[in-house]
Structure formats: C-alpha cells, structure tokens
Amino acid sequence: MKILEIKKKVKKIFINHGLNTKDASICSEAIINAELVDAPSHGLARLMMYCKRIQKKLINPKPKIKIKRISQSISHIDANNSIGFVAGDIGIKEAIKIGKKTGIGLVAIKNSGHYGLSGYYAEQAVKKNLIVLCFTNAPAAIAPYGAKKSLFGTNPICFGTPTASKVPFILDTSVSIINRGKIRRAAKLGLKIPTGVALDIFGKPTTDPKRALKGVQLPIAGFRGSGLAWMVDILSGVFTGGNHSGKVKDPFDDFSGPQNIGHLFIVMKSNLFVGNNYNNKIKENIKIIKKLPKIKGIKEILYPGEGKYKRYKNNIKKGILIPKNILRDIKELLK
Ligand SMILES: NC(=O)c1ccc[n+]([C@@H]2O[C@H](COP(=O)([O-])OP(=O)(O)OC[C@H]3O[C@@H](n4cnc5c(N)ncnc54)[C@H](O)[C@@H]3O)[C@@H](O)[C@H]2O)c1
C-alpha cells in the first residue's frame, strides 16, 4: 500500500477513537515509520491493541500533559495516561529544546504507555546535532538472572549521535535476544520463532511463540543482559515515577489498568568538550572501524542505524506490504 494512503487511514482511526488531529498524526507517523524501517512488530500489528486500550479507557485520548521545569536543563512530564507516542514526542521535543539552550537536557516521563521504537525519538535529537540516550521500560518478559519468573521488560537501550553525514548512528537494542513484538507478531501470523530465544513455562527451550509468551524470554549475554534490563527498569521506572519491578501491564493481555510506563531522555550538545572538532573526530572514528579487515561473508562493517536507514529509503519508494489479518483489523477499525 502507498505510504500516504496508509498514514491517512491510521490517522483517521485515531481521530475516530477520540484523539485530536495533531496527536492522531503523531501516532500515525510513528506507526508507519516502524513499518518503513522493517520493524512491523512495532507498527500496524499493534493498532488494534492501542484502540482497544483507548476504548477501555486505559489510554487517555485527550490527556492533559503537564511539563514541570525542575531546572533550566531538567523537566519532569506527567503524561496523564496518554498514548506513548504522544508522550514520547512531547518528551523528546522538550529535551531538544532545553538541551540546545543549556548543553544538556534531561527529561523524565511518567504515566505514559508503549511508545514504539526508541530510535524514532533518538533520530529527532540527532537531526538537531545532539547526542542522545533514550530509555523505556516495558511489560514483564525476561526473568532476572537466577529467578524463575519473568519480571523485566525487553527494556530497550538507545544511543544516538550525529555522524557528520546524513546517516545517523543509532544503537537501539532490546536487552532480550529478540524483541517481544517479534514473538507476538509470529504468534499472530502462525510463524515459529528462532531457537534459543525463549523458554516455555517448564523452562524448556521453545520455538512456539505462544508458549514463549507464557514462559520467559532470554536476555542478551546472561547476567549482563539481566543487569542492563534492571538498569533500564530503574532509570525508566524508579527514577521517573513510572511503574517498575514487573508492574507495567502487558498492553495486549492485561486490561486491569493503565500501563504507567516511564521514559527517560538525555540529550547533550555534541560539541560540548571538543567544539566543532566533534564532526571530524566522529568521521575518523567510523572510518577507522569500517576499514578493519572483515570476517568471511561480511562485505561491509555497518554502524548501528545504517541498515535501518537503507531499509527506510528503500521502503519509502516501494510502499509497504500489509498482511491480510492486519488489513482486516484496519477495515474493522475504520468502520
Ligand atoms: N517500547 C518498547 O517497549 C520496546 C521494547 C523493546 C524493543 N523496542 C524497540 O524495538 C526495536 C527493535 O529492537 P531489537 O532489539 O529487535 O533491535 P535489532 O536487533 O533489530 O537491532 C539492534 C541494534 O543493532 C543494530 N544492528 C543490527 N544489525 C547490525 C549489523 N549488521 N551491524 C551493526 N549494527 C547492527 C541496529 O541498528 C540496532 O541499533 C527497537 O527500536 C526498540 O526500541 C521497543
């Protein structure tokens, strides 16, 4: 389907669900961006879920979002149970605004919901020549190292920097071996998941996404990944005033209350310590790494975000392919 056409449909769905035009547009842009960077697990596959949560009054379509300036470089946002995309958009714009003025911007957000891809927000800061870190917590998926029960979310860690080229460096990674959205999408489309990424409720490895969703996902790098998930839970939940320690509700299965997810954005001017030399230094850094001898089968050493940029450019020309069952969801939501 053509990009403009699908964006319009998604925007209309959100307007029909009570969002104002601006917020509906923010949501539509973020969802279609996920499709364009080949992250469909965070795109249209979640549309029905967001709408159900709005209908059940667990996402507030008309939030009164409050921004409290704690100092010139620090703000605390109460998102009033808004959809995560809107809270994320307001949060990163606030961080950029204060970061540009003072050199550093720290923005904490509470009472938000699932905001999609961290990299989407990071890119906005990088476009303004800022270095950025984004954190968000997520519903229980990973068992803390040594525990039998999942508690941490797939809690992505995202770091972005300008590169003095049009392709930003965006490291945006879940701390689980694969992100939960991929497992959900596989369950929805009747596909298998790779081996070694999840265990069933009996602690046995499984490739069945439905069993994996009931069991636990495995963190990257054992106790190190578990530690990173814990760090993100503290920064996004404990620090911001959001939910933490397993209390973030699963948006698909738990309709007993709002999610109260927390996000944390930190932006820094890239020229703070080395002035405009940053551009030359980052270019040199990337050049040295890219020139290293490569292992068999690797044509080019890519930096994080490079592949995504290429996919985006390619997909924006081609349009996106929407699976039948998701097209059905869209038709139903447009009724
Ligand atoms: N909101 C939430 O609750 C939530 C939770 C988990 C994940 N997510 C999002 O899901 C998205 C996907 O996460 P993921 O863990 O599946 O990411 P991924 O595994 O696709 O990629 C992780 C990182 O590795 C980089 N990368 C991939 N291949 C590379 C290569 N060949 N060379 C160099 N770098 C390479 C990517 O650019 C990316 O920065 C992220 O945008 C994340 O923010 C959101």
Side-chain angles (χ1 to χ4, degrees):
M1 197 182 287
K2 293 228 170 79
I3 307 303
L4 267 179
E5 190 189 340
I6 183 64
K7 270 189 190 170
K8 261 193 200 166
K9 286 188 198 289
V10 175
K11 185 172 166 185
K12 185 152 190 289
I13 288 172
F14 281 113
I15 290 173
N16 289 350
H17 281 77
L19 272 73
N20 64 35
T21 317
K22 186 180 168 219
D23 289 355
S25 187
I26 289 171
C27 296
S28 165
E29 289 293 330
I31 286 177
I32 302 310
N33 173 73
E35 296 285 338
L36 288 171
V37 298
D38 282 350
S41 56
H42 286 69
L44 295 164
R46 288 179 182 246
L47 198 50
M48 185 60 95
M49 173 275 284
Y50 292 122
C51 292
K52 264 193 199 161
R53 293 190 80 79
I54 297 171
Q55 282 160 2
K56 290 181 185 290
K57 301 196 181 336
L58 303 173
I59 291 177
N60 182 354
K62 294 194 177 8
K64 293 204 167 35
I65 298 180
K66 285 192 197 121
I67 305 179
K68 184 175 163 196
R69 280 268 167 94
I70 292 177
S71 79
Q72 278 189 318
S73 3
I74 307 171
S75 293
H76 193 194
I77 297 180
D78 183 340
N80 191 215
N81 291 325
S82 92
I83 193 161
F85 301 120
V86 171
D89 190 75
I90 288 181
I92 196 66
K93 289 198 163 78
E94 171 72 1
I96 292 169
K97 194 160 132 193
I98 56 184
K100 276 283 194 193
K101 256 193 215 153
T102 69
I104 183 160
L106 171 64
V107 172
I109 306 169
K110 66 175 180 179
N111 287 323
S112 181
H114 184 270
Y115 77 0
L117 310 176
S118 291
Y120 183 65
Y121 307 95
E123 279 164 20
Q124 295 189 40
V126 170
K127 274 191 191 138
K128 303 282 180 190
N129 227 11
L130 295 160
I131 292 176
V132 58
L133 286 159
C134 306
F135 302 98
T136 182
N137 57 5
I142 299 175
Y145 191 77
K148 266 190 190 169
K149 197 174 171 296
S150 59
L151 182 142
F152 298 134
T154 49
N155 296 0
I157 293 177
C158 180
F159 163 84
T161 172
T163 54
S165 83
K166 56 185 189 308
V167 188
F169 180 117
I170 308 274
L171 172 70
D172 180 18
T173 179
S174 314
V175 290
S176 49
I177 301 178
I178 65 170
N179 73 59
R180 195 163 187 80
K182 282 186 184 160
I183 303 183
R184 288 213 176 274
R185 192 166 182 273
K188 195 160 174 148
L189 301 179
L191 306 169
K192 286 197 165 187
I193 54 167
T195 38
V197 306
L199 308 176
D200 65 16
I201 50 166
F202 307 107
K204 275 199 178 155
T206 183
T207 55
D208 177 337
K210 289 187 178 152
R211 285 174 189 235
L213 289 170
K214 285 191 187 133
V216 297
Q217 282 185 245
L218 297 173
I220 50 171
F223 62 84
R224 295 177 179 89
S226 167
L228 290 171
W230 203 332
M231 175 191 85
V232 176
D233 198 40
I234 294 167
L235 286 174
S236 317
V238 179
F239 189 43
T240 63
N243 270 339
H244 58 88
S245 50
K247 290 188 207 80
V248 168
K249 294 184 197 299
D250 191 304
F252 290 91
D253 312 323
D254 188 342
F255 296 95
S256 61
Q259 286 192 291
N260 185 12
I261 283 182
H263 319 299
L264 190 78
F265 295 137
I266 306 167
V267 304
M268 294 163 276
K269 275 188 177 172
S270 59
N271 62 4
L272 275 185
F273 305 114
V274 294
N276 291 336
N277 268 340
Y278 186 82
N279 282 353
N280 292 333
K281 283 174 175 281
I282 189 84
K283 265 205 244 171
E284 185 196 7
N285 173 284
I286 291 173
K287 197 169 155 192
I288 290 172
I289 293 165
K290 277 187 168 284
K291 273 194 178 160
L292 287 174
K294 293 155 211 45
I295 57 173
K296 208 174 159 199
I298 296 285
K299 277 196 196 126
E300 185 188 353
I301 296 173
L302 296 172
Y303 58 79
E306 243 188 311
K308 193 166 104 172
Y309 184 84
K310 282 183 190 155
R311 290 195 294 275
Y312 180 89
K313 287 282 167 199
N314 199 18
N315 288 338
I316 201 119
K317 280 187 232 138
K318 268 191 351 207
I320 48 181
L321 208 71
I322 307 174
K324 268 191 198 146
N325 57 346
I326 294 175
L327 276 175
R328 253 198 320 268
D329 284 359
I330 294 173
K331 261 193 196 154
E332 202 183 316
L333 290 168
L334 279 168
K335 272 184 200 160

